[in-house]
Amino acid sequence: MNQQVTDPNTPSTSQDDNRERAKNFVELHDQVSASIELLDSLESFLGTFQNDLSAVSGQISDLQGRSKEFEGRLQGRKRIERPLSQLLSDLSISPELVTTILDTPVAEPWITVIEEFQQKLQSIKVRSRVKAARDLAELVEGLRIAAATKIRAFFQSAMQPIRTSISTNMHVLQSSVFLKYAPLYAFLQRHAKSVAQEIQRAYIGCAKLYYETGFRRYTRSLGYIKTRTLEKPVLIGNVANEIGIPGPFVDTERLAFAKLEGSGTTLAYMADDKTHKEPMESLFRSMLVVLLDNACAEYLFIVKFFREPADLPVIPPSPMPRSPQPGTPIASSFHLDRMGTEVGSERGGTASKRLSIISVAESNLGLPNKEQEKEQRASLDGIWKQIMEPATQFCKACPGRSFMFLLLLVNKPTLSSQTFAESCLEPPPPIVPLLTMVRMNEVVLAESQKRDCAPLETFLLGLRLMMWPIFQKEMNAQVESLKKMVDSTGSGFLIRGTTLKDSWIQLVCQRYAALFTSFVALTGEDEEAMLFSNLMRLRQEVNRLIITQAEKMKDPAHSATYLATTYEILLHNLSTGPHSTTHPKAQAEVAHWRQREEEARRRISLVRR
């Protein structure tokens, strides 16, 4: 049997264990307390973090709202950026433009500067309701006055060479100065009409003096040359005193003076050579060619330079639309004028748009309407007449009136001699040179119509109306001289008791053939009733003269032979000439005389049988 042994140290051991455990419990309690404090601190931190998170969430919401507001403002600024940029571009005046107008003389840079300045003036005028445009009005007015003053002085100085010397090349001055700087004059026409009219009057005075002096000297030189060659008209029936004189012939060189193409014109200095001679129609052609070139060139310049300029195209101002958020500052406070009119508002935007549409519509019309065009053409014609009419006084023809009458009529004491055309027509020249001058006048008239120089056409038409009656009078004289010659042979005697001779008949035939071929050479294929009716009358008298002379021969065979021989000579003369053989009148004339020749030869055969 086992006995339980009791350890005398057992109670102390239990107490030590308890103490050890209590210590552990105390440490555990301390740790639990620390954990609780840490949890409380963590709870407090989480509560603070939650509050801070709520605050951050509110700030984020606020930032989102502000971001939307900024985005709306950005869209609004983008909407107004383009029209605002155009507004600033239209109203802003660069320092270079101001410096050029105020501090530099008129030169090539002014052409572009003035065009830009006109656009500024037009834009400011269109945007007159904008405060900025009204603020610039005084500045641009000063620039306008300064530009008009300098341009006026520039054109006045450009005219000085014309006033001082007749040797100035007018057309070079027009092309190199006036037309080159035509935009400057157009600026005056739009923005300083009184200055433009002053320059126009000054130019008219200078050009009038230039052309009047030039044509007076030129026609005077032509008159000197003309007096060296005296050519009297010869009647076809005046043959009694011309025995031994060479028969008439067709001068093709003189017929060429009825055309623009060909030899050059007579120059004024040629009159200094006292041996220089030219036929009358050559001098007349030179006068018309010089008049044509100068008159058409001057009219073209007048149309280009003095024509009323078209209205400048107006670029319509782009309306500034409202912002999509009417309550934002960008949409509610963007004003440019004192009236409180918002650019792009319904009232302001619509008014600007209406004005621009009218301006653009007017500018798109291009040329003015027919009535305005007619008035403008009449005004330009009036300028040409003021310049050129004094010069044409030295060229025009006034048959039947003395020169002193002309002086009293036009009250121009500067005209000291007959006009050149009048001197060519009084006394009348030979019939062929006269027709050559008539044809030359018609060629120049057609050319002036091609060049659209209406005022010159009026002058040339008046000249033609004066020349044709003289031509008709001379043709009547030719026919009457031949008729008188035929009628005087009834008794067998001519004037002064001279018997009609065969040589005179041949001379008449030669003159008729030369006259006919010259007329045909100067006439186109279009039939001219008056011209060829006169030739028909002349042909009848020539035929009657030949038959009258043949009837005086007692021998029928001799008479028929004379007819055939005379017709053959006449046909030969008609076949040789500068005219075209395909001309209908030439063919009809040859056919007529050939038929007469064949009839005469048949008579010869019948008589010999």
Side-chain angles (χ1 to χ4, degrees), residues 38-49:
L38 182 62
L39 289 174
D40 291 340
S41 175
L42 181 61
E43 182 182 3
S44 176
F45 174 77
L46 289 175
T48 303
F49 177 75

Side-chain angles (χ1 to χ4, degrees), residues 8 141 150 204 223 281 314 328 358 382 434 448 459 464 479 499:
E141 179 64 15
K150 286 192 173 184
I204 290 173
E281 55 269 36
V314 180
T328 58
I358 294 174
L434 178 58
S448 66
F459 167 78
R464 181 171 70 175
V479 175
T499 306

Side-chain angles (χ1 to χ4, degrees), residues 321-382:
R322 291 179 177 271
S323 173
Q325 297 180 1
T328 58
I330 194 68
S332 61
S333 62
F334 193 84
H335 301 282
L336 291 180
D337 61 350
R338 296 177 183 175
M339 302 294 292
T341 302
E342 179 184 343
V343 178
S345 66
E346 292 297 327
R347 184 179 61 181
T350 304
S352 300
K353 186 175 181 181
R354 186 186 303 115
L355 177 62
S356 64
I357 289 175
I358 294 174
S359 302
V360 171
E362 291 176 350
S363 64
N364 287 339
L365 291 177
L367 293 175
N369 57 40
K370 292 183 178 180
E371 184 176 354
Q372 292 176 339
E373 178 70 17
K374 186 177 181 180
E375 293 178 357
Q376 190 171 99
R377 179 57 70 98
S379 175
L380 297 174
D381 291 352

Side-chain angles (χ1 to χ4, degrees), residues 18 33 53 69 98 112 116 186 258 277 288 300 358 412 433 437 545 552 581 583:
N18 291 333
S33 298
L53 187 62
E69 179 183 352
V98 177
T112 56
E116 180 185 353
K277 297 181 180 180
L288 287 184
L300 180 61
I358 294 174
K412 288 187 176 294
M437 291 189 288
L545 177 65
K552 293 181 180 181
T581 56
H583 195 285

Side-chain angles (χ1 to χ4, degrees), residues 543 547 563-564 567 591-601:
N543 193 26
I547 294 175
L563 289 175
Y567 292 148
H592 170 78
W593 294 110
R594 182 170 287 113
Q595 181 181 2
R596 293 288 182 177
E597 181 193 12
E598 292 174 355
E599 291 176 358
R601 295 195 180 280

